[in-house]
Amino acid sequence: MFDEKMIKETYSALHASEDTLSEVLKVKNQRKRLHPYRVVLIAAVIALALGVTAVAQSAFMKKDDPENMLAAVYSETETPAQQGRVEFDQNGQMIVYPGWDRAAFDPELADKYVTPYVGACGESMGWQDYTITVEGYLFDSVTRSGILYYRIENPNGVGGYYLQENGEFSWAEESEIACGVVEAGRSYIDRERSTASVVHLSAFYVLTEEENQVEITLWDEKKQQGSLVVDLFDGGGMAWAADKDGIVTVSPIGVVIDLDYFGEEYIANAPQQLTLHYLDGSSYTVYDEDALLYNRMYALQSDSTLTVSFDRIVDVEALSTVEIDGMVFGVALRTD
């Protein structure tokens, strides 16, 4: 599952020429098993050459107000529900508009599963009139995914970005800066707290390397101007559920699926549908490609592993089964 949008954003941050970008996308279309993190690592390699500012932290420190961060991260979009649709532009090119059905933030579930594991940070970096500050993070060592919550400030205003209908945040090509998480992921704006001069963002990430770190870089139109590395701690580990064979592993914030079980077809083309079923008979459709329904924040396939970040906190104790393209796997809470 190769993420073309990620390549465009990464090369935009690096200010690659259109010819270079075209060549990369051409290679992508010829190689089905090329993966996004291999392209994202280009930024990481350059960052090492330019110097990195590391956040020195040797142990987990709990954030003072984790509920506020989680409420912002899992807040509903301006349109809580939207039907997916397909339209065509003036050139006849197909445009797919995803649908979703967001759930309201549940503070009780947050306190039960996630709040104790929200880490504090507070480190920042600056360049000219811009300041980037990491306010907190969440790291799930079982799925190796999480959330980084940070803000970008400029007293003269933060501009040069655009938003999708679901709140997804991207920098425009003509922006004077590009700032974001190097690791594979997606960023979403916090509409409630963001203003003209301060933009609050939630970055949903998936780690593909052994190091438990997330890096934020800041670029101007010519080169990288700053980098901030945040060390991640899971705070003791969140609860999780899995099937007896370890094919599907579910945490309160995401799921990991071992695609080797399904064979080469699923490694070349990720599952088209993923639904969680609860003991009370209710269900949560994480995504359904045919229905153009995407109740997820991010998904990444790395070789034979598919990791998906949820758009809500999941009650793992209440899960009964996980359905993948019509195949059902019974899951139960695990302690090993």
Side-chain angles (χ1 to χ4, degrees):
M1 188 169 65
F2 191 89
D3 197 326
E4 182 169 314
K5 182 175 181 291
M6 182 178 296
I7 300 177
K8 290 181 178 179
E9 292 176 355
T10 302
Y11 270 80
S12 175
L14 294 174
H15 299 285
S17 67
E18 288 297 321
D19 291 339
T20 302
L21 179 56
S22 298
E23 287 301 313
V24 172
L25 296 179
K26 187 183 299 181
V27 171
K28 166 258 176 180
N29 291 326
Q30 296 170 351
R31 298 178 60 188
K32 292 183 179 179
R33 296 191 60 192
L34 191 62
H35 300 296
Y37 72 88
R38 298 179 185 173
V39 177
V40 176
L41 284 178
I42 295 173
V45 171
I46 295 177
L48 290 174
L50 294 175
V52 174
T53 300
V55 177
Q57 188 171 320
S58 59
F60 177 78
M61 294 184 294
K62 183 179 177 181
K63 185 171 172 56
D64 291 336
D65 55 347
E67 297 86 358
N68 291 336
M69 173 183 144
L70 293 173
V73 167
Y74 291 107
S75 63
E76 295 182 12
T77 58
E78 285 190 324
T79 306
Q82 177 170 290
Q83 190 74 28
R85 66 189 190 277
V86 175
E87 296 181 1
F88 294 87
D89 63 17
Q90 58 185 3
N91 299 318
Q93 296 293 317
M94 184 175 68
I95 304 174
V96 177
Y97 293 91
W100 61 82
D101 185 10
R102 295 290 292 271
F105 173 67
D106 188 332
E108 292 186 3
L109 275 184
D111 287 342
K112 181 178 181 180
Y113 289 115
V114 183
T115 296
Y117 308 108
V118 177
C121 188
E123 298 294 334
S124 64
M125 64 178 175
W127 176 72
Q128 293 190 358
D129 293 327
Y130 287 94
T131 303
I132 291 85
T133 303
V134 179
E135 298 186 29
Y137 69 89
L138 183 63
F139 174 53
D140 173 22
S141 58
V142 173
T143 62
R144 294 194 57 73
S145 64
I147 304 159
L148 195 72
Y149 189 74
Y150 66 102
R151 66 179 184 268
I152 304 171
E153 301 174 79
N154 187 330
N156 301 314
V158 179
Y161 64 86
Y162 59 92
L163 303 174
Q164 294 189 17
E165 292 174 307
N166 63 353
E168 185 177 336
F169 178 98
S170 300
W171 292 103
E173 290 287 343
E174 63 274 12
S175 174
E176 67 177 1
I177 68 163
C179 175
V181 173
V182 171
E183 285 68 27
R186 283 281 182 275
S187 291
Y188 297 83
I189 195 167
D190 179 353
R191 298 180 188 272
E192 290 293 323
R193 297 182 64 190
S194 295
T195 65
S197 58
V198 184
V199 174
H200 293 261
L201 298 171
S202 302
F204 288 76
Y205 63 84
V206 175
L207 299 185
T208 56
E209 299 297 304
E210 293 183 359
E211 291 80 7
N212 294 343
Q213 295 179 330
V214 172
E215 181 182 353
I216 295 179
T217 56
L218 173 66
W219 296 77
D220 66 4
E221 297 176 352
K222 297 181 180 180
K223 63 179 181 178
Q224 180 178 318
Q225 296 292 347
S227 181
L228 190 65
V229 174
V230 179
D231 290 322
L232 304 172
F233 300 88
D234 66 5
M238 285 183 274
W240 56 287
D243 68 293
K244 61 183 180 62
D245 298 315
I247 300 165
V248 181
T249 303
V250 188
S251 85
I253 67 170
V255 59
V256 173
I257 302 171
D258 182 2
L259 298 180
D260 276 331
Y261 171 84
F262 302 93
E264 286 295 326
E265 179 182 352
Y266 277 84
I267 295 176
N269 300 284
Q272 300 298 294
Q273 172 265 334
L274 172 62
T275 302
L276 308 185
H277 297 282
Y278 294 94
L279 294 169
D280 64 2
S282 62
S283 62
Y284 161 35
T285 299
V286 182
Y287 70 89
D288 186 331
E289 298 282 358
D290 291 338
L292 301 180
L293 180 64
Y294 302 96
N295 291 320
R296 68 189 186 196
M297 305 306 281
Y298 185 61
L300 176 72
Q301 180 182 339
S302 175
D303 295 324
S304 60
T305 300
L306 174 64
T307 306
V308 182
S309 299
F310 300 144
D311 69 353
R312 65 200 69 181
I313 297 173
V314 166
D315 188 348
V316 292
E317 289 186 15
L319 287 176
S320 60
T321 60
V322 175
E323 181 182 352
I324 303 171
D325 284 1
M327 293 172 280
V328 179
F329 299 85
V331 295
L333 200 65
R334 301 288 292 270
T335 57
D336 52 340

